[in-house]
């Protein structure tokens, strides 16, 4: 028998949703996503379980599952991480494994796998503490928070001492901001109207619904055809009126000069920001796009790690930092990115959507407000209204705002029935789909 | 029965060599590598086979194998790629899969897997043409070569027209340079003396052997301890004399300021270059290191893709571009990087070693000399004397130079007996090792 307080098993699921059937999530680079998750459950002896996931677009979800499995020896049979020191050590173990780091280093499949495992460990630690992750983090001392960050490669932009000073400066207001957050929630924007595969009628209808639901910002996918983009922006503006912001998102579609040309042409339609104008690896390219046209620049959902975020900030390449809960090495690396953004005074507007990304990232934005930046000004969390029904504690959106989650943990736990129904390739949803395809063939 | 000229199967091997037993390959970030390969054989109906591989350090080799497997639908059951157009289309398919690209994009495990598959396809195409890959490439027209490159995200630094002009300018001298290459070979340097786990006696003995073998350059690993590095550099200089270059390699060990301090301290020992002083993602960091201390800067073996190489060149961050045959998306992406380096006038000095990296990358450097840069000045290919005995056509080093390979293909084919002996986890080498460990336990 394993001792109480020991991780006993990794339970890994390949879960896929056939979202490509309705073009939900379609953009200029990803026309047919099947929103999926490589989903991890940490079992413990006699205690709560921890839940984490990697979001993918379908194919390759099995590769992510294999990558998560490769990290099991760092937890299975070992004590449950409970303290900041435990979670700092786990982060170091997972990202600095002397053999596995060759597969990145700190990027792509292995980095996302490390993120899923770390986030599951954070879920578990927060559940044991009886707190949602945002409050679990906001209850830590500045010293503990600094100890969670890997400052390797950051010291030319942010030192541990500077991070500590930032966190200490925000400490006196924590309780008041937490109370305000519980009362008021955190501003959201919605991408639901703007998928590229939706026709004009659906765009207009969903844009009007977004305003009626209280959102102050929507987002449209752009980048496939300039005339279409102009028409869609015009329709969306007419639908939402002058007081609602409309961000646009090119999903990495352009080269630098093309981004500058395209956004110069769209600028008269007053888009609030242009998101992912070019390659997420192109720091200098983002800087050139930002200086070459009048629309503010946002990026981050595909930025592989803190080192690239550091450079985006050093180069003055972005107006908004878009963290993603499941792209980098978990809470620890996102904490580094929040601190970098605070140092450079750039607002963090998280990427979300996918499978469980809203559920996860809300905790990080709320923690940022309470204990790091201390501000909700110019900050919004993305919201997409897909697939929340599969989560035990789905996000709650009221009047265009995320309600602060109250359940202990990281909100990433999925319903067992959802896991079973969407198991790939042999769950009933996928068996039925193959039967349909065979009948049509 | 599949038609002749169809790819019929992906045969994937997880092959690992227990190199950590002797500290071969040990450096400041990778103290205990077990040199490994996720190895791919493309079977065809009635024709030759194609061979490609991902090099890894052991753990995670199974994740690479899963990633390679995920790409099988792009080849199995389809015609064998034979022409430049076929190989360009395959490159686009593998790197722009609308679902798989989420796992990168174009970095880490999926990018290396795409590289292994593409390199296997190049091996196959060159075998069918009866040419080694370097000559197969050097026989293509400038137009065909340009068609192989994905210029997405490159056009602010290199346009297709500029690439074409570069290749056309080099065209008249191709035959003369190919003849010179066959007569003289291509300069090499050796890393064999310098692994961090070797003691001083072994370092001195191997450094002397390197000079006796005709090498004009050796390389030492540094970055663990400054006093050790000074002593080792002093010993190496005494062993090789004043006329042999000694490069040093920190394997990403330092932050920017630390790299500047450390290399300023080592500069009196006249190291030829400092390799990987900091994170491979840190373009701005490399630029700061290059301008902050007197030693030339080299990097590239962990650079994920052409977009990061582009920025290293735009930012003036490197004196040498170190391509790796198996890190990026195969021949196609390395061709983009060779063209970028030629545009910026920066010499390419390939990274090699590992499992099969010397065998593969020699073709790219030789093609660069014949048809792109047109020069061997300031250019050397790394050489490490491990594991060549497992290859059917191992590299041949004579008087410190790579002999131009003559066998058709990419030189990556391994002996069946080597694959069988080192199969992980159940091949005889690993079974014997476990038996030894159990006996010692």
């Amino acid at each position: 028998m394993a001792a109480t307080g020991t991780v006993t098993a990794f339970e890994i699921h390949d879960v896929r949703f056939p979202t490509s059937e309705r073009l939900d999530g379609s953009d200029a680079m990803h026309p047919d996503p099947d929103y999926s998750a490589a989903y991890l459950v940490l079992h413990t002896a006699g205690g709560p379980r921890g839940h984490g996931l990697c979001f993918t677009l379908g194919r390759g979800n099995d590769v992510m599952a294999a990558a998560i499995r490769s990290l099991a020896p760092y937890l299975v049979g070992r004590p449950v991480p409970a303290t900041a020191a435990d979670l700092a050590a786990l982060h170091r173990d997972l990202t600095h494994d002397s053999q596995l780091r060759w597969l990145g280093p700190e990027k792509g499949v292995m980095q996302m796998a490390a993120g899923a495992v770390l986030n599951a460990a954070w879920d578990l630690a927060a559940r044991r503490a009886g707190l949602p992750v945002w409050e679990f983090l906001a209850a830590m001392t500045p010293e503990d928070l600094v100890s969670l960050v890997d400052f390797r490669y950051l010291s030319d932009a942010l030192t541990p001492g500077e991070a500590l000073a930032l966190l200490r400066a925000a400490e006196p207001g924590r309780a008041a901001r937490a109370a305000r957050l519980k009362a008021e929630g955190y501003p959201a924007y919605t991408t639901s109207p703007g998928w590229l595969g939706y026709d004009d009628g659906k765009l207009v209808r969903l844009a009007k619904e977004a305003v009626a639901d209280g959102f102050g910002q929507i987002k449209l996918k752009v980048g496939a055809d300039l005339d279409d983009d102009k028409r869609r922006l015009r329709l969306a503006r007419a639908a939402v009126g002058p007081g609602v912001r409309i961000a646009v998102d090119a999903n990495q579609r352009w080269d630098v000069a093309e981004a500058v040309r395209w956004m110069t042409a769209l600028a008269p339609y007053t888009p609030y920001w242009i998101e992912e104008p070019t390659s997420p690896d192109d720091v200098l390219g983002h800087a050139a796009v930002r200086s070459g046209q009048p629309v503010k620049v946002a990026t981050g959902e595909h930025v592989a790690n803190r080192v690239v975020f550091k450079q985006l900030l050093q180069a003055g390449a972005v107006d908004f930092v878009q963290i993603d809960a499941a792209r980098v090495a978990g809470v620890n690396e996102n904490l580094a990115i929040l601190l970098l953004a605070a140092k450079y005074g750039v607002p963090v507007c998280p990427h979300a959507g996918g499978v469980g990304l809203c559920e996860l990232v809300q905790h990080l934005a709320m923690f940022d407000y309470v204990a790091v930046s201390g501000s909700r000004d110019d900050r919004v969390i993305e919201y997409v209204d897909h697939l929340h029904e599969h989560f035990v504690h789905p996000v709650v959106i009221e009047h265009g705002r995320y309600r602060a989650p109250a359940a202990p943990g990281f909100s990433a736990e999925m319903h067992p029935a959802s896991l079973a129904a969407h198991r790939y390739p042999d769950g009933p949803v996928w068996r039925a789909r193959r039967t349909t395809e065979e009948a049509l063939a």
Side-chain angles (χ1 to χ4, degrees), chain A residues 99-389:
Chain A
Q99 295 187 351
L100 287 172
R101 78 181 296 283
W102 192 269
L103 304 193
E106 299 189 68
K107 59 178 64 66
V109 166
M110 284 311 308
Q111 186 78 340
M112 293 163 76
V117 175
L118 277 161
N119 286 344
W122 277 90
D123 180 53
L124 186 49
R127 283 168 190 262
R128 288 166 58 116
L131 292 170
V133 160
W134 72 269
E135 283 196 283
F136 181 60
L137 277 163
M140 289 185 177
T141 63
E143 289 76 9
D144 276 352
L145 291 168
V146 166
S147 77
L148 288 161
V149 171
D150 181 359
F151 285 89
R152 188 186 283 265
Y153 307 136
L154 296 189
S155 62
D156 53 328
L158 179 73
T159 64
E162 290 172 323
L164 192 62
L166 278 168
L167 291 164
R168 283 183 177 158
E171 207 176 5
R174 282 189 189 182
R177 284 190 296 270
R180 213 171 308 141
L181 187 67
K182 289 179 182 178
E184 301 168 0
Y186 196 108
Y189 75 92
T190 175
T191 305
S192 293
W195 301 112
L196 213 51
Y198 288 180
D199 65 29
D200 289 353
K202 190 166 183 177
L203 163 66
V204 168
R205 177 172 58 78
L206 293 173
K208 287 182 175 168
E209 283 179 21
V211 179
D213 290 343
F215 289 99
Q217 179 176 333
I218 66 169
K219 192 168 77 184
L220 306 189
K221 299 294 181 175
V222 296
D225 180 277
L226 182 57
D227 287 334
D228 284 348
D229 290 348
K230 288 178 180 174
R231 189 189 69 254
R232 288 157 49 82
L233 266 171
R234 210 165 44 230
L235 289 169
R237 177 60 68 204
V240 303
V244 170
R245 295 184 299 241
I246 306 176
V248 298
D249 184 353
N251 291 91
Q252 315 164 32
R253 178 62 182 256
W254 302 314
D255 280 26
V256 171
E258 194 178 12
V260 169
R261 274 199 308 275
W262 203 294
M263 289 312 301
T264 302
L266 291 187
Y269 303 86
T270 61
Y272 181 58
W273 73 49
I274 172 60
E275 180 170 329
E276 289 204 309
T278 190
S279 163
D281 302 328
D282 201 346
V283 171
L284 301 178
H286 277 83
V289 171
R290 182 165 181 244
S291 66
Q293 53 77 48
V295 179
K296 291 183 177 184
V297 171
T299 203
E301 70 181 84
H302 280 86
V303 170
N305 57 47
R306 70 198 180 286
V307 180
V308 182
F309 276 110
K310 176 190 75 166
Q311 293 175 85
L312 288 166
L313 293 162
Q314 288 174 315
V318 289
D319 296 282
F320 301 100
V321 162
Q322 298 183 299
I323 59 167
D324 180 287
R327 171 70 60 184
V328 301
V331 170
N332 301 62
E333 188 157 27
N334 268 316
L335 176 53
I337 298 162
L338 294 176
L339 288 164
L340 281 164
K343 161 83 185 282
Y344 283 83
V346 174
V348 173
C349 296
H351 169 254
V355 179
L357 300 182
C358 299
E359 277 69 20
L360 286 162
V361 89
Q362 62 179 339
H363 291 271
L364 302 175
M366 292 177 188
F367 160 70
D368 175 69
Y369 168 55
V370 172
V372 186
S373 73
S375 174
R376 286 174 300 188
D377 297 347
D378 300 322
R379 288 161 171 86
V380 273
I381 307 172
E382 185 168 17
Y383 173 67
V384 187
D385 65 355
H386 301 151
L387 307 175
H388 301 287
E389 65 274 22

Side-chain angles (χ1 to χ4, degrees), chain A residues 385-406:
Chain A
D385 65 355
H386 301 151
L387 307 175
H388 301 287
E389 65 274 22
H390 302 294
F391 287 83
V392 174
H393 297 289
V395 295
V396 178
I397 304 288
E398 294 169 323
H399 310 298
R401 299 171 90 85
Y402 278 81
R403 189 200 290 170

Side-chain angles (χ1 to χ4, degrees), chain A residues 67-83:
Chain A
I68 292 172
R69 196 171 296 114
S70 77
L71 297 171
Y74 282 110
L75 272 167
V76 175
R78 298 194 180 188
V80 172
T83 65

